[in-house]
Amino acid sequence: MEKTTSKETILQNALTLFAEKGFDSVGIAEICESAQITKPTLYYFFKSKDGLLEEILKNFLVPLNQNLRQWGAYEPVPDEYEKDVYALLTRICNGLFEYMMQNRDFALLFVSVLIAPPDSKTAQIAQPLAGDFNEFFTEVFYKISSVHKNVKNKELLLGWLFSTQLMAAVNLWLKGSLELNPDFSHALVHQFMHGIYA
């Protein structure tokens, strides 16, 4: 088996196990058994279980964060509701939902990472990349506030509220309680926009 294949096999098996059981509940021996590799092989590629989680998050969060920046490009059309903030937030919502649906195991893992206690090993490993994810949403509302003054001084709160609503919807989808589709995206953004302009 080639090294690159071994590395990808380890990553995929570890992702599946972390998604199903949680990072803390999975041991090195279980990952090795699932990937049909030896411990020295795992340590050769990743040094530790922590390094393995970091690599998994990097593989999924770096492209997600890059996509979010594209979806979050804001071209103000303040006189046209459907083309302005509404269109921006709907684009972000649809893009994020599509990414999570294409990467279900990652979605399961990421939801658990986001709610991990701040002092936990999981949160500490994930913080740099998850921090970029969270900061993106605040940046979006800073762009909006440069045009819509009613958003001024609320950027951080609105960024957190919007990202929390999106990830709560992803969590409900993972549990089979919700279907993520454009109709739901429009409803979620429409409801959120009422909060902004209330």
Side-chain angles (χ1 to χ4, degrees):
M1 185 177 282
E2 292 186 16
K3 289 181 180 178
T4 52
T5 305
S6 297
K7 185 174 182 180
E8 290 308 312
T9 299
I10 297 165
L11 282 169
Q12 185 53 58
N13 281 272
L15 171 59
T16 300
L17 289 168
F18 293 161
E20 289 173 355
K21 301 182 177 186
F23 175 72
D24 293 330
S25 299
V26 177
I28 290 290
E30 190 173 3
I31 296 167
C32 292
E33 182 181 338
S34 177
Q36 298 181 344
I37 49 120
T38 62
K39 286 183 183 181
T41 302
L42 186 143
Y43 289 128
Y44 172 78
F45 288 114
F46 301 105
K47 310 297 184 230
S48 67
K49 190 173 90 164
D50 294 358
L52 186 50
L53 176 60
E54 186 176 353
E55 185 75 16
I56 290 169
L57 291 174
K58 195 179 296 180
N59 283 354
F60 287 94
L61 277 174
V62 168
L64 174 58
N65 288 333
Q66 289 169 346
N67 286 335
L68 284 169
R69 300 242 179 282
Q70 291 177 354
W71 302 327
Y74 179 43
E75 295 179 19
V77 191
D79 296 332
E80 296 187 51
Y81 175 85
E82 296 284 335
K83 295 181 180 178
D84 192 53
V85 176
Y86 181 80
L88 169 66
L89 297 184
T90 302
R91 187 169 61 244
I92 292 168
C93 189
N94 282 329
L96 179 68
F97 288 170
E98 185 66 30
Y99 190 85
M100 292 301 180
M101 288 189 291
Q102 290 173 357
N103 300 287
R104 190 177 191 282
D105 281 349
F106 166 70
L108 275 165
L109 176 61
F110 192 46
V111 165
S112 69
V113 163
L114 289 175
I115 62 169
D119 294 334
S120 69
K121 177 77 80 174
T122 305
Q124 291 170 6
I125 294 167
Q127 198 288 320
L129 290 166
D132 288 346
F133 175 84
N134 290 324
E135 286 170 16
F136 161 77
F137 290 94
T138 302
E139 290 169 12
V140 164
F141 285 95
Y142 272 109
K143 292 177 191 173
I144 293 168
S145 74
S146 68
V147 176
H148 297 274
K149 301 308 176 192
N150 62 312
V151 176
K152 203 80 173 160
N153 300 320
K154 300 176 188 172
E155 297 91 348
L156 183 61
L157 175 63
L158 291 172
W160 276 100
L161 288 173
F162 189 57
S163 65
T164 300
Q165 283 189 359
L166 296 186
M167 291 311 297
V170 169
N171 192 30
L172 288 170
W173 165 70
L174 289 166
K175 293 178 178 181
S177 302
L178 184 67
E179 186 177 335
L180 300 180
N181 57 40
D183 287 341
F184 176 74
S185 294
H186 285 291
L188 186 152
V189 171
H190 184 69
Q191 187 63 44
F192 185 81
M193 293 288 292
H194 276 289
I196 293 177
Y197 293 115

